[in-house]
Amino acid sequence: FRHEAAAVITQMLQGTEISSMARQRYGHMSGSELLEYWRPRFADLVAGLAVLEPKARLPWYGPPMSARSFATARLMETWAHSQDIYDALGRRQPVSERLRHIAHLGVSTYGWTFLNRNLPLPEPAPYVALRAPSGETWSWNEPSATDFVRGGAEEFCLVVTQRRNVEDTELEYSGASATQWLRIAQCFAGYPADGPAAGVRAVQYPVPGDKA
């Protein structure tokens, strides 16, 4: 892994996008062949993670990660890229309480978002209160009536994974820190990335009962 990681980082520094590397390596496979190739490797990864202590350190493309953070990040990436497919099909991705892991990652990378862009960190970090699929409220940081983000957990996760522009959601937010954060939020590692402009990835799902 360390050998391959070094090769990937070298190519990225030379300007090659990781998506281009993936197409070069796996582009000869059909969709079904790629899925068949991926599934046993996914199962091996899950089995390997299951026996690790949550704080065990694992090598990665950047600094080493704890097993717990590694698993959460892989869950986030799979969910976010699945959203790309659901959007292309005009369908809504099923939601579950497991969104809490992605939401937690989104909140905990508040500081990283600004550090990654060499921007000063706005204080205070906004209070985040999200409505879970079950109707429960998940919350982070100190309660505040002036610096906050409120709304559905699914929409928050779409914003921090840069699958939606905050203006295309029903999230409510207030305060300079929340306003600045939600426009550049990035819960994944790598160079600073920009999410979609308002309206570009706005999706109107079919109303239940309507004929397709």
Side-chain angles (χ1 to χ4, degrees):
F1 171 80
R2 293 183 190 279
H3 175 76
E4 289 206 358
V8 167
I9 292 171
T10 297
Q11 290 185 68
M12 291 182 69
L13 291 174
Q14 293 172 347
T16 304
E17 293 185 354
I18 198 162
S19 56
S20 177
M21 295 182 227
R23 284 192 294 272
Q24 183 179 14
R25 188 166 184 173
Y26 304 109
H28 65 283
M29 295 183 180
S30 67
S32 59
E33 289 172 337
L34 188 60
L35 189 60
E36 184 178 351
Y37 176 85
W38 175 79
R39 276 181 167 153
R41 287 161 177 77
F42 162 76
D44 287 345
L45 175 61
V46 171
L49 287 171
V51 298
L52 291 177
E53 291 294 327
K55 293 184 179 180
R57 307 301 292 179
L58 297 174
W60 197 232
Y61 295 98
M65 303 176 69
S66 71
R68 175 184 287 144
S69 295
F70 181 93
T72 303
R74 304 292 77 75
L75 173 66
M76 175 273 296
E77 290 171 341
T78 303
W79 181 83
H81 290 296
S82 296
Q83 186 65 47
D84 299 335
I85 298 171
Y86 276 95
D87 283 354
L89 297 174
R91 297 175 61 183
R92 186 170 189 177
Q93 182 169 195
V95 296
S96 75
E97 299 301 283
R98 295 168 73 185
L99 281 176
R100 182 165 190 163
H101 300 294
I102 302 171
H104 179 77
L105 187 63
V107 174
S108 63
T109 51
Y110 171 78
W112 152 256
T113 293
F114 294 95
L115 176 65
N116 194 33
R117 293 173 180 264
N118 294 315
L119 294 173
L121 181 64
E123 298 285 357
Y127 174 59
V128 179
L130 304 176
R131 184 177 62 259
S134 66
E136 178 187 357
T137 297
W138 300 332
S139 62
W140 294 264
N141 301 331
E142 290 296 320
S144 172
T146 56
D147 298 279
F148 63 80
V149 180
R150 295 194 294 247
E154 180 186 16
E155 288 196 316
F156 177 79
C157 291
L158 289 170
V159 169
V160 296
T161 57
Q162 297 190 347
R163 265 55 196 175
R164 293 289 186 275
N165 186 293
V166 66
E167 298 306 317
D168 295 324
T169 73
E170 296 182 358
L171 291 174
E172 299 178 5
Y173 55 96
S174 176
S177 56
T179 300
Q180 188 176 358
W181 176 40
L182 293 178
R183 280 159 173 69
I184 59 172
Q186 178 177 332
C187 73
F188 49 89
Y191 297 109
D194 295 320
V200 171
R201 289 194 64 168
V203 175
Q204 294 294 326
Y205 297 107
V207 177
D210 283 0
K211 293 182 179 180

